Amino acid sequence: MEAFMRADQYQFIKKQAKKLVNGHSAANDPAVLKALKAMVLESVIALFSTISDEQKLVLESIIDVNDQEKADIYIENLQPYVTPFQTTEPMVKKLFPKAKKIKVPSLDHMDLLGTSYLSWFDPGTNKKYLVTKLDDQWIGLQGSFRPLNKKGICALCHQYEDVGMFLVEEKGKVQGTFTKRGNYICRDAEVCNQHIVTLDHLGEFIDRVKK
């Protein structure tokens, strides 16, 4: 069976498995646990607009998770069905034709199964870059990034983390003018990716800064 889930769906399912682990450690009432299993399974299946019987069978085994060991085994068994974040340095550079000195980080040590977007700060250009794929289209953003040195809500993952202001500058309608749009995003892209359980917020952020 081929891969059929995105990184954000994979991260969502991981959190649901953790919810089951916590539920079993906190409750002994069979009715409560039965309801929790039903709720978790329904939310996992609802991630996919179309799903085959074989794919559904893989997902349904989440209801057997009742401790951390079984959760780890379940998540490990899901990994072959996750589409990893796949790009190359030439592909990334093509998204930023005006950034002649851009340096793309190596993907060799990244958790590509859990990555919804690639982001890095390039001191050579003093820019922060963000690369993702939405609706089968590769998108690249570059802008300034100013750390806040405090926690806030990230526009991409909607979690309370160390954030900074990411601003994209676009040419205005009047010659010689520029418009800046952006929002607070996580300083650590790896941590942010672990929190992303839907691409909705990422898509909304890109739409906002590219208006």
Side-chain angles (χ1 to χ4, degrees):
M1 183 167 51
E2 297 181 352
F4 64 93
M5 71 180 72
R6 302 186 307 265
D8 62 296
Q9 295 168 324
Y10 176 60
Q11 296 289 14
F12 178 88
I13 294 172
K14 286 173 66 175
K15 292 184 184 300
Q16 295 303 303
K18 183 65 175 177
K19 185 180 293 186
L20 284 174
V21 174
N22 293 338
H24 278 275
S25 65
N28 294 316
D29 188 332
V32 171
L33 294 175
K34 182 179 179 180
L36 176 61
K37 289 181 180 182
M39 180 182 65
V40 165
L41 180 58
E42 181 180 3
S43 65
V44 168
I45 299 299
L47 288 173
F48 307 92
S49 57
T50 58
I51 189 171
S52 69
D53 290 340
E54 190 176 10
Q55 292 167 345
K56 189 175 181 180
L57 189 62
V58 169
L59 297 173
E60 284 178 336
S61 59
I62 194 172
I63 63 173
D64 296 326
V65 171
N66 55 21
D67 58 32
Q68 191 59 52
E69 182 180 1
K70 289 184 179 179
D72 292 340
I73 292 173
Y74 175 75
I75 295 303
E76 184 178 354
N77 289 339
L78 284 187
Q79 291 179 359
Y81 309 114
V82 183
T83 302
F85 189 87
Q86 293 179 318
T87 189
T88 62
E89 183 174 337
M91 286 173 60
V92 172
K93 287 185 173 181
K94 191 175 181 180
L95 296 173
F96 306 100
K98 295 182 180 179
K100 303 301 181 183
K101 297 182 179 180
I102 186 173
K103 293 184 179 179
V104 182
S106 171
L107 303 181
D108 293 341
H109 303 293
M110 287 183 59
D111 174 21
L112 300 181
L113 294 181
T115 298
S116 295
Y117 74 93
L118 172 67
S119 183
W120 73 98
F121 183 79
D122 186 349
T125 59
N126 200 33
K127 294 287 186 180
K128 187 175 182 67
Y129 295 87
L130 190 153
V131 173
T132 191
K133 189 178 185 181
L134 295 175
D135 298 324
D136 293 324
Q137 180 181 0
W138 284 100
I139 300 167
L141 297 177
Q142 67 177 41
S144 61
F145 185 77
R146 180 173 58 85
L148 288 188
N149 297 319
K150 64 179 182 179
K151 289 183 179 294
I153 298 296
C154 170
L156 307 183
C157 67
H158 276 214
Q159 295 299 306
Y160 191 64
E161 289 289 348
D162 292 322
V163 297
M165 176 60 74
F166 179 58
L167 290 174
V168 175
E169 187 176 81
E170 298 284 348
K171 288 184 178 181
K173 295 181 180 180
V174 179
Q175 186 175 2
T177 64
F178 295 88
T179 300
K180 290 185 177 181
R181 297 187 180 92
N183 209 330
Y184 297 113
I185 67 173
C186 286
R187 294 179 64 179
D188 189 327
E190 183 176 351
V191 170
C192 187
N193 271 290
Q194 292 172 1
H195 288 316
I196 292 180
V197 295
T198 173
L199 295 182
D200 292 348
H201 305 313
L202 180 58
E204 290 168 2
F205 175 79
I206 291 173
D207 289 342
R208 186 184 307 122
V209 301
K210 292 180 71 70
K211 282 184 178 179

